[in-house]
Amino acid sequence: MTLQERGVDLPPERRPGVPMEKTPPRPLAHGEHSLPPVSSSLLPPRGVSGILRRKAYRVPGHRPAHWMMLLLADRIEVMEFKLRRLLRWLLLPAAALFLLRVVRR
Amino acid sequence: MRAVVYRGPYDVEVAKKKDPAIEHPADAILQVTRAAICGSDLHLLHGLVPDTRVGSTFGHEFTGIVEEVGPAVRALKKGDRVVVPFNIACGACFYCSRNLTACCENSNPNSDVVGGCFGYSHTTGGYDGGQAQYVRVPYADVGPMKIPDDMEDEQVLFLSDILPTGYQAAEMGEIKGGEVVVVFGAGPVGLFTAKSAWLLGAGRVIVVDHVEYRLDFARRYAGVETVNFKKVDDIVMYLKEICGGRGPDVCVDAVGMEAEGSTPHRLLGLKLKMEAGAATVIGWCIDTVRKGGNVSIIGVYGPPWNFVPVGTAMNKGLTLRMNQCNVKRYMPHLLKHIREGRIDAKAIITHRFPLRQAKEAYRIFSDKRDGCVKCVLLPQA
């Protein structure tokens, strides 16, 4: 950027966010009609953390309890995940051992 | 497909994941060509953003090639190269039609606090992000911008977030010409804020940080003065002193919730979780800026509250402005700045990694090692 280019956006009309809100309102796409809301179906709540998350979303966002429950659920979910992973690792040798015994008999 | 997957605080790995599919008539699926790691991804990585679920994929700064479109999509077709804003916006609701796409009320119906974002926890809708080989893009006619044929993906990649974010941060400072602007944070957003402050007519720009190599980079990249706050006794008093005793006209918080510089804030916000991260920089902005000045907050803070000196702000007659960036409204304007050579956005990329090395990329970026300013992942490498 050269020194001459400094201040190139000084006039307010060159600033995309001035005024902050566009008036009159004008849709950005789809003409005048709006599309239905979208959401994500990924990673639905499950386990103990899921119970807590469902409970949290019944409390409005302006109450600290909403966020505290979510943060607690995050920590619980990590523990649940680690436990599941450990069990999976234990299950493999257990199954192998069981098969070995069956074959030996 | 392969994707970066969150496993818990400070733990991500690259794992196999189901390919995304069209779930809504206005969706598109992109093959991701570039995905950057943002400073705000570190807040997720560090477990500071509520409802960050194990198994989720981060990444809200990406470019890609359209692979598939839903039946309602008109503006895109298979093969188009696009850069995608981090906000997911319907384009037609009360907020979108006023160009406040960050506040869209249709992309995150569970919340009246924040609109939908890519890869930024279920608090912002639970959408997977772009640090993956493929990504689902809702409302594909609204957000994505086609990349001009004569431009490379990396030239425009940061139109997805950090460049408009930095520009909006400076714009919210309401610079009228000749002002002294102090930008806290010499990370990518701070760099673009500093550049934008010049474009908007600032008379003097000072960047504050404590990471020496980033301050060096800021001096070279943005032509600013710099201050290392760890090398002065009291950063507020120092800045007032070098700004004629009154303080700067505008202060910008481009740091957010993991700021260094205050043991009480770090203890209360990051260790005990009694506030939503360390709000050190908001305090510095309010204390430093001159009476009647402007404070612009673009750093990310979580809910529900932070300890900030509101009384001081009131007594000093300050204007405080803040918002997630409404990316879409800045894209054409900033594309022009890139094209005309006033902003070389690509020049801040210091590291590139194939997706499979994402864990290492996060480590280097998070630890600020190896002169790292900005990391970009190459999902197809």
Side-chain angles (χ1 to χ4, degrees):
Chain A
M1 189 192 311
T2 62
L3 277 176
Q4 290 77 21
E5 286 173 320
R6 289 186 180 177
V8 69
D9 287 350
L10 188 58
E13 61 274 15
R14 275 190 57 88
R15 302 182 181 191
V18 177
M20 185 175 77
E21 295 190 22
K22 276 273 181 296
T23 46
R26 196 178 58 239
L28 298 174
H30 322 300
E32 293 303 313
H33 68 93
S34 59
L35 287 165
V38 293
S39 57
S40 166
S41 56
L42 298 170
L43 305 170
R46 60 176 184 163
V48 178
S49 58
I51 295 169
L52 208 51
R53 279 176 175 143
R54 283 202 180 90
K55 211 171 157 58
Y57 279 103
R58 285 199 289 270
V59 177
H62 64 275
R63 297 214 184 131
H66 173 86
W67 304 106
M68 295 309 169
M69 277 194 276
L70 288 177
L71 279 171
L72 182 62
D74 289 352
R75 300 297 173 267
I76 292 172
E77 190 192 24
V78 173
M79 286 190 269
E80 288 172 327
F81 167 70
K82 285 184 175 163
L83 192 66
R84 273 201 311 276
R85 192 160 60 177
L86 183 71
L87 286 176
R88 214 176 298 142
W89 278 105
L90 289 176
L91 210 64
L92 273 173
L97 214 63
F98 176 74
L99 276 174
L100 203 68
R101 278 191 180 176
V102 170
V103 171
R104 275 189 184 167
R105 268 184 212 163
Chain B
M1 68 167 182
R2 299 194 79 75
V4 176
V5 176
Y6 175 71
R7 294 303 190 204
Y10 294 85
D11 188 9
V12 286
E13 65 182 27
V14 177
K16 281 197 172 162
K17 204 166 174 173
K18 206 174 144 195
D19 284 355
I22 301 280
E23 294 180 27
H24 184 282
D27 286 355
I29 305 296
L30 299 192
Q31 185 190 55
V32 183
T33 51
R34 291 288 185 281
I37 301 176
C38 181
S40 58
D41 287 332
L42 300 180
H43 308 325
L44 292 165
L45 178 71
H46 299 162
L48 295 169
V49 180
D51 211 358
T52 304
R53 297 190 187 171
V54 171
S56 56
T57 293
F58 303 160
H60 54 269
E61 300 174 357
F62 55 89
T63 57
I65 299 170
V66 177
E67 182 77 14
E68 191 185 347
V69 294
V73 177
R74 298 282 171 270
L76 297 181
K77 61 179 189 315
K78 189 177 161 111
D80 284 342
R81 282 192 310 137
V82 291
V83 54
V84 182
F86 76 85
N87 326 106
I88 299 172
C90 75
C93 69
F94 179 90
Y95 297 107
C96 287
S97 57
R98 286 164 173 77
N99 268 9
L100 300 174
T101 48
C103 304
C104 175
E105 55 193 9
N106 282 325
S107 57
N108 187 18
N110 278 336
S111 170
D112 60 359
V113 175
V114 63
C117 298
F118 289 98
Y120 214 79
S121 83
H122 275 65
T123 294
T124 69
Y127 301 93
D128 263 352
Q131 290 167 11
Q133 289 177 311
Y134 295 92
V135 65
R136 171 194 169 212
V137 176
Y139 297 127
D141 275 345
V142 181
M145 185 187 81
K146 284 189 197 168
I147 301 173
D149 289 342
D150 60 334
M151 295 183 89
E152 297 167 20
D153 292 2
E154 284 185 359
Q155 284 178 281
V156 297
L157 170 61
F158 301 133
L159 288 177
S160 56
D161 177 0
I162 51 173
L163 178 50
T165 294
Y167 190 94
Q168 181 176 304
E171 200 188 57
M172 289 192 298
E174 295 175 8
I175 297 164
K176 293 177 182 72
E179 283 90 342
V180 180
V181 178
V182 168
V183 179
F184 289 94
V189 170
L191 293 171
F192 286 138
T193 305
K195 278 262 190 197
S196 304
W198 288 128
L199 289 170
L200 292 162
R204 187 180 176 195
V205 183
I206 303 165
V207 171
V208 180
D209 204 299
H210 69 104
V211 182
E212 207 54 60
Y213 80 81
R214 289 198 165 183
L215 291 171
D216 284 344
F217 194 93
R219 281 193 294 275
R220 277 184 278 118
Y221 181 73
V224 291
E225 297 168 50
T226 58
V227 178
N228 183 332
F229 69 79
K230 288 203 172 162
K231 290 192 176 164
V232 297
D233 271 349
D234 181 326
I235 186 62
V236 173
M237 293 311 289
Y238 180 80
L239 288 169
K240 282 188 177 188
E241 200 180 301
I242 64 168
C243 296
R246 291 196 184 97
D249 305 290
V250 178
C251 280
V252 180
D253 172 2
V255 178
M257 65 164 87
E258 291 187 73
E260 297 278 348
S262 163
T263 307
H265 270 303
R266 287 190 70 82
L267 180 69
L268 290 171
L270 301 174
K271 303 282 181 221
L272 301 176
K273 307 278 190 293
M274 289 176 69
E275 61 170 329
T280 314
V281 174
I282 302 181
W284 283 351
C285 286
I286 290 173
D287 289 331
T288 305
V289 75
R290 71 165 170 80
K291 291 174 192 162
N294 283 46
V295 172
S296 163
I297 304 169
I298 204 75
V300 173
Y301 293 89
W305 53 50
N306 283 98
F307 299 124
V308 293
V310 171
T312 304
M314 185 272 181
N315 282 311
K316 288 175 77 172
L318 305 184
T319 300
L320 273 69
R321 292 191 63 189
M322 61 207 91
N323 195 194
Q324 292 277 3
C325 182
N326 301 289
V327 172
K328 186 69 184 173
R329 72 182 178 193
Y330 295 98
M331 287 175 117
H333 185 68
L334 294 172
L335 177 70
K336 216 167 159 216
H337 280 320
I338 294 171
R339 199 183 259 295
E340 291 170 7
R342 283 188 280 272
I343 297 176
D344 180 0
K346 183 183 168 182
I348 70 159
I349 303 174
T350 51
H351 291 69
R352 293 173 181 83
F353 292 92
L355 187 70
R356 64 178 179 280
Q357 288 178 19
K359 200 179 171 85
E360 176 66 0
Y362 265 98
R363 200 173 299 133
I364 286 177
F365 187 54
S366 177
D367 297 349
K368 300 184 179 64
R369 279 199 276 125
D370 195 28
C372 184
V373 175
K374 190 71 179 173
C375 272
V376 171
L377 301 174
L378 314 176
Q380 309 302 327

